[in-house]
Amino acid sequence: PTEEYENLRRRIYSNTKEIWYYINHELSKLMTEDIKVEKIQAILDQVADRKRSLLSDQQKLPELDGYHEWRQNEAANVSDLIQRRLKYLQNPPDCREARKVICNLNKGCGFGCQLHHIVYCLIFAYATERTLILNSKGWRYNTKGWDYVFEPISDSCTTAYDDKVMPWPVRYDAKVVSLPFIDSISQKPKFLPLAIPKDLAHRIVRFNGDPASWWIGQMLKYILKPRSSMQKAINETIAKMNFKSPIVGVHIRRTDKVGTEAAFHHIHEYMTHVKDYYDQLELTRVVDVRRVYLATDDANVLEDARKKYPEYEVVGDASIARTAATHRRYTPQSLAGLLLDLRMLSACDYLVCTFSSQVGRVAYEIMQTNRVDASESFFSLDDIYYFGGQNAHDRRAVMSHTTQGKEDISFQVGDLIGVAGNHWNGYGRGTNKRTNLNGLIPWYKTADHLVLYPFPEYKQVPQ
Ligand code: GDP
């Protein structure tokens, strides 16, 4: 390791102690003084500043540890391998003879939800070595079908001919099966998210901090290729926007979602995280303009943001937001707007959103494909990352914990804890699978439990 790397590593260690010396001293003092709100605010500001400095230093570590280029190459190589395997699966030498899985694009939901439906179908196809056939006639976003907007998912195999189609699950190995919606499967196959392929897992974990969403992103990378006319229209709109790094993407999902599937979040909640991002960035570089790309389905939000935050440059298109509103949602025009928003959000340096929205999750999944590791480049105001219909998501205890008698639960090293979410206050909620107790868990004593599944290894495709 270089001298620079070693110095940085020691600085982080030492400054972690410094943050404790500071908090310990100030809070001990508060016990003997009468507590003033201003004093507490001053301590919070100090701690925030020290935290930003620590995180900023830690971000530099992987750039200096000598493996920076290696990680970039490895991420590109594994991605390329998966894309070639998918291409191979989707273009069998003899289409008529190939085993197939049919996916109907008739799910009555938004585009993010439909994309995830195709992702689930493609993972199923990859796991069972069946060519995926997409049925999209009469599709709600374009009645002419998927291929009218996007490149087809196969160049050579797009029909099941007259073969009998058996609805999955089947009792025998039928040649052609059709898939139900993921939500209505009672016995979920183990290969569904958040599982990742065992043969690639040990490569992926070495460059990416969230392999499950990276793997899902790879499916999107294969599926989501706008046709040249659509791509051209998107590029022309982008050219008119002042989209320049540094820029933080903000996705604000309102209209029909609020009060039904998600809570309302004030613009201030999003902007707190944007400010924190820029305050940290300014420790290492000059930021002339604090830019935000704002995507939303509520045009009023854009206007509101520009009025309330004049110190930020808010990039975004009110006409896109208007076509995204509930009553205009399922048109080719609104789809074009959403594709643009997704492209921009995923190109941002950082993303602030709500993972309760599939649009926020898709933006993050694409982000995972356009850099080596996006796992620390977002903040979700509500849910932790998930895939709708996924198998259980567990964390494993890496330290033991004895309940403090409040709402927290005890666990031992090695216990699996099914997690419901993180409260972003140092605690999350979960169920200890050994004791069946449900309650709060100190998040730092647990680590994400990655599920590896023995997917086929596609040995026919060159490594
Ligand atoms: P969810 O309902 O937010 O989980 O995501 P879905 O994709 O299933 O449905 C929401 C739909 O609302 C999207 O598909 C879009 O049509 C529209 N929408 C939501 N947020 C945005 C946005 O930021 N920009 C645009 N253009 N459309 C959006």
Side-chain angles (χ1 to χ4, degrees):
T2 59
E3 196 179 319
E4 210 181 356
Y5 176 82
E6 286 304 304
N7 284 339
L8 185 60
R9 195 174 59 73
R10 292 196 182 95
R11 182 181 142 80
I12 291 166
Y13 193 87
S14 157
N15 285 351
T16 306
K17 287 189 289 181
E18 287 296 323
I19 204 169
W20 163 248
Y21 298 150
Y22 176 76
I23 296 172
N24 185 35
H25 176 76
E26 292 297 334
L27 292 191
S28 302
K29 225 166 46 176
L30 275 193
M31 285 197 280
T32 58
E33 291 169 2
D34 43 320
I35 299 174
K36 290 211 177 62
V37 175
E38 301 80 42
K39 180 64 196 164
I40 295 175
Q41 187 60 54
I43 296 174
L44 277 176
D45 291 346
Q46 252 299 308
V47 174
D49 203 47
R50 287 164 184 262
K51 174 212 71 163
R52 281 191 292 269
S53 157
L54 274 176
L55 292 182
S56 176
D57 282 346
Q58 286 179 64
Q59 269 180 345
K60 278 181 251 160
L61 275 180
E63 280 159 42
L64 296 174
D65 67 2
Y67 291 109
H68 183 57
E69 230 170 273
W70 181 88
R71 284 190 201 93
Q72 298 213 294
N73 289 334
E74 184 67 351
N77 289 342
V78 183
S79 170
D80 182 58
L81 178 59
I82 294 170
Q83 298 304 311
R84 283 186 288 114
R85 286 179 179 183
L86 287 170
K87 192 167 179 192
Y88 169 83
L89 176 70
Q90 286 304 101
N91 294 281
D94 185 351
C95 177
R96 197 174 270 277
E97 287 310 310
R99 295 159 77 244
K100 301 181 187 76
V101 52
I102 295 186
C103 187
N104 292 308
L105 203 43
N106 59 352
K107 203 168 179 179
C109 57
F111 184 66
C113 161
Q114 299 189 350
L115 270 182
H116 282 138
H117 178 51
I118 309 178
V119 165
Y120 140 70
C121 293
L122 190 57
I123 290 175
F124 192 106
Y126 185 99
T128 57
E129 291 181 277
R130 292 171 175 275
T131 301
L132 175 61
I133 308 284
L134 205 54
N135 264 349
S136 65
K137 277 253 156 52
W139 182 37
R140 75 192 304 189
Y141 276 97
N142 193 315
T143 48
K144 289 178 193 151
W146 175 266
D147 296 355
Y148 202 78
V149 188
F150 300 99
E151 296 293 339
I153 58 167
S154 168
D155 303 323
S156 59
C157 194
T158 54
T159 166
Y161 298 92
D162 303 326
D163 287 339
K164 192 168 161 52
V165 179
M166 297 297 294
W168 189 87
V170 281
R171 247 176 271 135
Y172 63 101
D173 191 32
K175 187 174 168 201
V176 184
V177 299
S178 68
L179 284 184
F181 297 143
I182 194 169
D183 334 71
S184 57
I185 305 178
S186 51
Q187 278 233 314
K188 287 205 175 113
K190 296 251 189 300
F191 54 70
L192 291 183
L194 303 172
I196 63 166
K198 197 170 176 182
D199 66 321
L200 302 173
H202 298 285
R203 295 181 69 182
I204 303 169
V205 293
R206 293 209 281 162
F207 61 79
N208 196 281
D210 184 12
S213 64
W214 186 87
W215 163 244
I216 287 160
Q218 291 305 314
M219 299 296 119
L220 283 177
K221 183 174 174 179
Y222 188 84
I223 296 163
L224 205 56
K225 294 171 186 148
R227 295 192 78 109
S228 58
S229 55
M230 172 64 89
Q231 197 58 62
K232 199 166 148 251
I234 291 175
N235 290 345
E236 278 166 10
T237 316
I238 294 173
K240 284 184 234 144
M241 290 178 164
N242 194 24
F243 189 91
K244 272 192 272 186
S245 182
I247 188 160
V248 176
V250 173
H251 177 237
I252 303 188
R253 179 76 165 91
R254 293 268 168 87
T255 66
D256 57 319
K257 191 91 173 176
V258 174
T260 54
E261 294 178 352
F264 178 89
H265 291 279
H266 195 271
I267 178 113
H268 174 70
E269 294 176 59
Y270 297 85
M271 292 306 286
T272 302
H273 294 277
V274 176
K275 179 179 181 302
D276 203 34
Y277 174 83
Y278 278 117
D279 286 348
Q280 185 174 318
L281 188 65
E282 283 192 337
L283 297 177
T284 52
R285 59 166 287 181
V286 178
V287 177
D288 295 325
V289 184
R290 293 191 165 201
R291 225 172 268 110
V292 166
Y293 183 86
L294 179 54
T296 174
D297 58 340
D298 180 351
N300 300 324
V301 171
L302 260 164
E303 212 178 299
D304 193 35
R306 289 190 176 119
K307 224 177 353 196
K308 286 199 179 108
Y309 295 90
E311 68 276 29
Y312 287 84
E313 183 183 323
V314 180
V315 182
D317 189 328
S319 68
I320 292 180
R322 274 191 293 275
T323 62
T326 325
H327 61 291
R328 308 186 199 198
R329 192 162 287 166
Y330 308 110
T331 60
Q333 201 198 359
S334 79
L335 178 58
L338 179 58
L339 287 175
L340 183 110
D341 276 343
L342 285 172
R343 158 89 177 270
M344 302 324 261
L345 287 174
S346 59
C348 287
D349 301 299
Y350 192 77
L351 174 66
V352 183
C353 63
T354 47
F355 273 170
S356 56
S357 167
Q358 313 227 30
V359 174
R361 293 197 314 271
V362 167
Y364 168 56
E365 288 151 5
I366 302 175
M367 225 175 168
Q368 278 278 51
T369 69
N370 62 26
R371 63 206 73 183
V372 176
D373 186 358
S375 64
E376 293 294 350
S377 301
F378 71 89
F379 189 85
S380 163
L381 296 183
D382 53 16
D383 300 337
I384 53 172
Y385 178 77
Y386 71 98
F387 186 90
Q390 71 187 17
N391 281 311
H393 181 189
D394 300 330
R395 287 178 75 83
R396 194 177 289 282
V398 290
M399 294 160 78
S400 66
H401 180 72
T402 307
T403 177
Q404 306 290 300
K406 301 207 177 95
E407 284 177 71
D408 59 326
I409 54 168
S410 297
F411 48 77
Q412 295 167 3
V413 172
D415 282 354
L416 275 184
I417 301 166
V419 287
N422 188 331
H423 296 169
W424 312 122
N425 61 3
Y427 290 85
R429 182 170 283 280
T431 304
N432 186 333
K433 294 198 159 166
R434 182 177 54 83
T435 62
N436 252 329
L437 291 175
N438 175 282
L440 297 183
I441 45 168
W443 205 251
Y444 77 104
K445 292 185 172 178
T446 64
D448 203 53
H449 173 65
L450 202 54
V451 178
L452 311 189
Y453 179 86
F455 280 89
E457 297 185 10
Y458 293 90
K459 294 274 200 274
Q460 310 89 324
V461 178
Q463 289 287 312

